[in-house]
């Protein structure tokens, strides 16, 4: 019988859709994990994309040396991609724990997966062309399915896979898809495959391993996380926006977001008392308070100590983080169930978007956002952001801004100071020693000259007293820089991000 008439290439086109989606997912998965483990997301995504594309080019070039048994080679390539991609997350996390040069392992992994992926389209094109003799239709159809698959993969990862499945399950599941493609090819086109029995045994065996990985991925993730953190992990949750881990050792509860510690129950009061009580006592009145970030409810706890407060608006991007802080018995014990107080209004939105649209005026604004370790967070430390804050701050109000460490990241700290100052605020820097964090800094900003020498607290505190307050505003020589040499942070030139990442790399 004539092969040209009987060969059905539609199944192969469908596999193109699947393998393209898997390829994109591996690319963003490696980039995301590296950003999570190492930081500097711009660098990680740029390097991953560049290396991956180059490796695909290498694979495409090497495919010219494959001249016979194309179906066998295609199945072998799919198995290789499935195995490498399926265990990619496991390899990266283990490398971060046990190997000093994580980047080297990451680069090798990217190059290997990219090279295998580079084989796929050339081999598939030749298979279809050899059996249909219609190059025009072959190329147009293959690349159409390839691009559509890439779109599906790029959308599925951030919106469906990562938030609902996490890193480990996603990797094993996508790896399984590649193996399923191999299995479909083996059974659908068995008359074209030379080593049919061997491939059946291999694909079924590897698929069983991948499915086991999907089933036991939570156990694997818990085991890995147990090695990443000093204390026992009692909760691990991947939200739409971030990875939340809670650890506990005796009475010390710690919350981590994307691997960075957010607070320790043993000393968080030092941070939150300093963040909240300074602006609350500098402002002429404090009836309406806006908290940007602070989804753990600890800043709200401190604000609620003031009976004159009538309304607290808390704006946090991650609803799941806030809900966790309202329901987890360990966290509610620390925040005194503050987020359930009737004075608190919860808004789930990006802080920048909220203040851009906001029409209300607040007496106190507390900016309790994560460190500016990526481009998205950097936006919340720009001149435009502080300008928008000024638009909704009362003339006699006060604002405090979490500003990272004046010792470990002094250029970043003073960049924040200068950026706020250049928006017309009166800015006074201050800092506190938090054992878990080290020396940690804030900015106090007002529209009119402020008096920080006569702050008197009439509320209960665990750390702050008159002497401690005086010490907050004193800096040693090694915590100060020449601000004339510091560049302000803007939307178009994210200088703060560079200062911060330089500091992180210097202290690794």
């Amino acid at each position: 019988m004539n092969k040209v008439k009987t060969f059905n290439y539609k199944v192969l086109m469908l596999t193109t859709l699947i393998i393209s989606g898997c390829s994109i997912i591996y690319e963003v998965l490696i980039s995301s994990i590296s950003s999570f483990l190492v930081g500097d997301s711009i660098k990680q995504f740029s390097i991953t994309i560049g290396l991956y594309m180059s490796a695909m080019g290498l694979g495409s070039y090497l495919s010219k040396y494959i001249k016979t048994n194309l179906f066998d080679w295609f199945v072998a390539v799919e198995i290789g991609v499935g195995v490498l991609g399926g265990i990619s997350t496991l390899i990266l996390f283990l490398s971060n724990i046990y190997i000093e040069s994580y980047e080297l392992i990451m680069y090798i992994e990217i190059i290997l997966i990219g090279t295998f992926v580079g084989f796929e389209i050339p081999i598939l094109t030749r298979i279809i062309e050899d059996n249909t003799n219609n190059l025009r239709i072959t190329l147009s159809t293959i690349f159409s399915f390839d691009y559509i698959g890439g779109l599906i993969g790029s959308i599925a990862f951030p919106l469906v896979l990562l938030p609902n499945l996490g890193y480990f399950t996603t990797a094993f599941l996508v790896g399984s898809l590649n193996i399923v493609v191999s299995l479909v090819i083996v059974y659908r086109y068995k008359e074209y495959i030379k080593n049919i029995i061997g491939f059946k045994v291999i694909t079924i065996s590897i698929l069983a391993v991948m499915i086991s990985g999907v089933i036991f991925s939570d156990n694997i993730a818990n085991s890995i996380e147990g090695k990443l953190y000093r204390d026992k992990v009692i909760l691990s949750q991947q939200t739409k926006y971030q990875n939340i881990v809670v650890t506990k050792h005796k009475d010390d509860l710690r919350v981590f977001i994307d691997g960075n510690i957010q607070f320790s129950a043993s000393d968080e009061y030092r941070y939150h008392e300093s963040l909240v009580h300074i602006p609350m006592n500098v402002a002429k009145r404090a009836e309406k308070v806006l908290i940007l970030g602070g989804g753990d409810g600890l800043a709200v706890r401190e604000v609620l100590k003031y009976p004159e407060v009538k309304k607290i608006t808390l704006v946090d991007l991650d609803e799941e983080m806030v809900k966790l802080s309202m329901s987890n018995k360990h966290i509610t014990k620390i925040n005194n169930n503050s987020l359930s107080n009737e004075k608190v209004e919860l808004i789930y939105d990006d802080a920048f978007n909220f203040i851009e649209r906001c029409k209300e005026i607040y007496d106190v604004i507390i900016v309790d956002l994560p460190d500016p370790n990526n481009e998205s967070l950097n936006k919340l430390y720009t001149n435009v952001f502080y300008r928008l804050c000024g638009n909704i701050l009362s003339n006699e109000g006060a604002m405090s801004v979490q500003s990272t460490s004046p010792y470990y990241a002094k250029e970043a700290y003073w960049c924040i100071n200068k950026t706020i100052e250049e928006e017309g605020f009166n800015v006074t820097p201050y800092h506190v020693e938090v054992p878990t964090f080290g020396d940690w800094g804030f900015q106090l900003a007002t529209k009119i000259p402020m008096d920080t020498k006569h702050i008197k607290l009439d509320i209960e505190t665990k750390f702050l007293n008159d002497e401690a307050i005086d010490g907050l505003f004193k800096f040693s020589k090694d915590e100060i820089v020449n601000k004339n040499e510091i560049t302000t942070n803007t939307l178009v030139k994210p200088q703060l991000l560079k200062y911060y990442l330089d500091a992180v790399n210097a202290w690794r």
Side-chain angles (χ1 to χ4, degrees), residues 286-337:
E287 293 182 356
K288 293 178 64 178
V289 178
L290 172 65
I291 301 176
L292 301 174
D296 50 36
L298 298 173
V300 174
R301 178 197 66 197
E302 297 302 315
V303 174
L304 286 171
K305 292 179 179 180
Y306 296 84
E308 66 267 31
V309 172
K310 295 180 179 179
K311 180 182 178 182
I312 303 170
T313 302
L314 183 139
V315 180
D316 198 288
L317 181 64
D318 196 344
E319 182 175 359
E320 291 184 62
M321 175 66 200
V322 176
K323 296 296 186 185
L324 177 66
S325 301
M326 297 175 69
S327 60
N328 184 278
K329 64 179 181 179
H330 300 292
I331 300 178
T332 55
K333 182 180 179 181
I334 301 170
N335 66 24
N336 295 338
N337 208 22

Side-chain angles (χ1 to χ4, degrees), residues 171-441:
F172 283 119
L173 179 62
V174 177
S176 298
L177 286 178
N178 279 115
I179 304 302
V180 167
V181 167
S182 303
L183 200 58
V184 169
I185 300 299
V186 167
Y187 279 90
R188 181 64 180 80
Y189 299 97
K190 56 187 175 182
E191 64 271 24
Y192 297 91
I193 299 175
K194 183 178 180 180
N195 301 302
I196 186 66
I197 297 176
F199 279 129
K200 283 183 178 180
V201 173
I202 292 171
T203 52
I204 292 173
S205 300
I206 295 176
L207 182 59
V209 172
M210 288 295 161
I211 292 175
S212 298
V214 172
I215 295 171
F216 296 105
S217 58
D218 286 342
N219 302 80
I220 297 171
N222 291 337
S223 177
I224 295 294
E225 285 178 341
K227 294 177 174 60
L228 286 173
Y229 300 96
R230 184 191 69 178
D231 300 331
K232 181 182 179 181
V233 175
I234 62 171
L235 183 145
S236 178
Q237 181 176 336
Q238 178 67 50
T239 75
K240 183 179 179 181
Y241 302 102
Q242 56 199 358
N243 177 261
I244 303 169
V245 171
V246 181
T247 68
K248 194 173 191 300
H249 177 68
K250 296 183 179 179
D251 293 330
D252 186 16
L253 186 82
R254 299 190 177 201
V255 173
F256 297 80
I257 292 181
D258 289 338
N260 300 310
I261 187 168
Q262 296 307 293
F263 71 82
S264 167
S266 64
D267 57 19
E268 56 78 20
Y269 59 89
R270 282 176 156 252
Y271 172 96
H272 290 98
E273 287 183 9
S274 303
L275 174 71
V276 171
H277 298 314
I278 301 304
M280 289 292 289
N281 283 273
V282 167
K284 296 299 182 182
R285 66 177 195 173
E287 293 182 356
K288 293 178 64 178
V289 178
L290 172 65
I291 301 176
L292 301 174
D296 50 36
L298 298 173
V300 174
R301 178 197 66 197
E302 297 302 315
V303 174
L304 286 171
K305 292 179 179 180
Y306 296 84
E308 66 267 31
V309 172
K310 295 180 179 179
K311 180 182 178 182
I312 303 170
T313 302
L314 183 139
V315 180
D316 198 288
L317 181 64
D318 196 344
E319 182 175 359
E320 291 184 62
M321 175 66 200
V322 176
K323 296 296 186 185
L324 177 66
S325 301
M326 297 175 69
S327 60
N328 184 278
K329 64 179 181 179
H330 300 292
I331 300 178
T332 55
K333 182 180 179 181
I334 301 170
N335 66 24
N336 295 338
N337 208 22
S338 60
L339 294 174
S340 299
N341 191 283
E342 60 182 10
K343 292 183 179 181
V344 179
E345 176 189 22
L346 300 174
I347 296 176
Y348 305 113
D349 197 1
D350 175 79
F352 196 100
N353 293 338
F354 173 81
I355 61 174
E356 194 172 29
R357 299 190 308 265
C358 184
K359 303 299 181 184
E360 289 193 65
I361 300 298
Y362 294 92
D363 302 311
V364 176
I365 298 177
I366 297 168
V367 185
D368 187 19
L369 298 167
D371 280 358
N373 57 18
N374 61 55
E375 61 278 3
S376 297
L377 288 170
N378 179 81
K379 180 179 70 172
L380 305 178
Y381 288 83
T382 58
N383 56 345
V384 176
F385 181 80
Y386 297 127
R387 190 180 309 156
L388 292 171
C389 286
N391 293 341
I392 60 175
L393 180 67
S394 66
N395 288 331
E396 295 182 321
M399 174 174 72
S400 64
V401 180
Q402 185 285 118
S403 302
T404 195
S405 172
Y407 179 75
Y408 297 104
K410 65 181 71 175
E411 286 81 9
Y413 177 83
W414 291 104
C415 175
I416 297 171
N417 176 277
K418 186 173 182 177
T419 302
I420 300 173
E421 195 172 63
E422 291 196 355
E423 287 305 312
F425 287 97
N426 295 281
V427 184
T428 299
Y430 67 105
H431 62 134
V432 64
E433 184 69 25
V434 182
T436 303
F437 292 164
D439 184 15
W440 213 258

Side-chain angles (χ1 to χ4, degrees), residues 25-26 93 118 133 156 169 176 284 306 317 392 467:
I25 290 171
Y26 293 138
F93 273 91
N133 296 318
T169 307
S176 298
K284 296 299 182 182
Y306 296 84
L317 181 64
I392 60 175
E467 292 76 17

